[in-house]
Structure formats: C-alpha cells, structure tokens
C-alpha cells in the first residue's frame, strides 16, 4: 500500500440513510397506529440510532480486514441538520460511533490499529443552527467552505499532535 492515511468523512445521511425501515417520516393511520409498527417517534429514532451503530461497527470490522494495518484511519464526526431539537440524537450517534472505534481498536490499552478522531461535529455544533449563525453551503445539508476549512485545520492539528 502506498497510502498511510485513510480519511473517513461521512455525512449524516451516509450514516442514517442506510437504516432501511427506520426513516423519521411516518403517517398516523386511521386506527391510530403509526405505519402499523406500534413504535412512537422516539422509539423509532432510538431504533434507527441503534441500527446505525450496529451498521457502523460492521463497517469498521470489514474495513479493518481489508486495509493493511500500517494505514492510519482518521474518522471525522458528522455535523447537524434540521433544528436544534434533533441535535441530541445526532450527538448520541456521534458518541456511539466514537465508542465503537475505541472498543474495536483501543480496547484494554492495546491498539489494534491507529485510528484518530477529528471531532468536527462538536466543533461545528455552535454554527449549525439559526439563520444568522449557521454556516451556509450550497444546500441545507452542506455547511460550505468555512466548515471545510475548519475540518482541514482540525485534521492538520491532529496530525501534528499525533505525528
């Protein structure tokens, strides 16, 4: 392998969008059920976060098996979308994904692979909501060049700090 670093920079849709059957939209049926699932909105969101965490763990295991061990993984946490009311679930999912990385690669003070985390999601959180404060990109899902520059600054600082 000629590469020494693999940067994994997923968006929120890439993580949550892969959870078939757990989308946030549902209709109340005439009999009062929600798409016949019996799950309320909170339960559906929790199920989606749980499934996303399991999918991420499987992804990391497969990636670890396919990529040579001398390649460093750099994981960038994702940002936020929607209103501040949704922020808790995105923060929880980012935390779950970081826990998966620590459990798989840094368990019992033994490092199986060098994995660095750029916690871009936390850094961009204060600029993720509102009309005057939000970083603006080409659409609602994209933060624009300011956020990309922020990621590069965080990434370079992480590389300098960790060699």
């Amino acid at each position: 392998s000629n590469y020494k670093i693999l940067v994994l920079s997923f968006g929120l849709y890439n993580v949550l969008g892969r959870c078939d059957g757990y989308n946030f939209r549902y209709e109340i049926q005439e009999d009062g059920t929600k798409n016949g699932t019996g799950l309320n909105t909170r339960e559906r969101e929790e199920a989606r976060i749980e499934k996303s965490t399991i999918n991420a763990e499987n992804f990391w295991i497969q990636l670890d098996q396919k990529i040579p061990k001398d390649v460093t993984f750099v994981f960038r946490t994702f940002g936020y979308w929607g209103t501040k009311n949704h922020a808790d679930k995105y923060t929880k999912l980012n935390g779950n994904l970081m826990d998966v990385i620590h459990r798989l690669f840094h368990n019992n003070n033994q490092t199986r692979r060098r994995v660095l985390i750029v916690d871009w999601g936390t850094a961009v959180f204060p600029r993720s909501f509102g009309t005057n404060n939000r970083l603006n990109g080409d659409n609602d899902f994209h933060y624009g060049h300011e956020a990309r520059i922020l990621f590069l600054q965080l990434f370079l600082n992480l590389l300098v700090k960790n060699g």
Side-chain angles (χ1 to χ4, degrees):
S1 165
N2 294 331
Y3 298 103
K4 296 298 173 197
I5 296 176
L6 176 62
V7 178
L8 300 149
S9 179
F10 304 111
L12 183 59
Y13 175 80
N14 300 111
V15 177
L16 287 177
R18 300 191 185 284
C19 296
D20 299 333
Y22 291 104
N23 72 37
F24 288 107
R25 289 181 223 147
Y26 64 89
E27 295 177 8
I28 303 287
Q29 306 298 319
E30 286 183 28
D31 63 0
T33 62
K34 301 160 188 74
N35 283 347
T37 65
L39 296 178
N40 65 34
T41 305
R42 182 98 178 135
E43 290 168 332
R44 290 176 67 82
E45 290 174 3
E46 289 296 323
R48 192 172 188 196
I49 288 171
E50 182 179 340
K51 187 167 183 181
S52 295
T53 303
I54 292 167
N55 288 348
E57 185 164 348
N58 292 334
F59 167 81
W60 282 107
I61 290 168
Q62 291 175 18
L63 191 66
D64 185 48
Q65 292 169 349
K66 293 178 182 178
I67 304 293
K69 297 291 186 218
D70 64 334
V71 174
T72 297
F73 293 163
V74 177
F75 172 67
R76 183 207 73 166
T77 58
F78 52 79
Y80 296 82
W81 178 79
T83 66
K84 216 168 189 175
N85 296 337
H86 296 116
D88 287 347
K89 69 179 167 238
Y90 302 150
T91 299
K92 179 179 181 177
L93 183 54
N94 265 331
N96 288 356
L97 298 179
M98 288 187 283
D99 289 346
V100 164
I101 290 168
H102 288 294
R103 188 175 69 253
L104 290 176
F105 301 111
H106 304 288
N107 203 5
N108 299 326
N109 294 324
Q110 295 178 336
T111 301
R112 289 186 37 220
R113 174 187 292 276
R114 188 166 183 227
V115 181
L116 304 174
I117 297 174
V118 176
D119 193 3
W120 180 80
T122 297
V124 79
F125 178 81
R127 300 284 308 275
S128 295
F129 305 100
T131 54
N132 296 331
N133 195 36
R134 172 138 169 67
L135 294 170
N136 291 314
D138 56 347
N139 66 44
D140 286 345
F141 299 102
H142 297 163
Y143 283 90
H145 75 279
E146 288 179 75
R148 287 173 176 82
I149 290 171
L150 172 63
F151 167 68
L152 291 174
Q153 289 171 331
L154 293 169
F155 176 59
L156 292 175
N157 284 337
L158 186 68
L159 290 180
V160 167
K161 178 181 171 186
N162 291 284

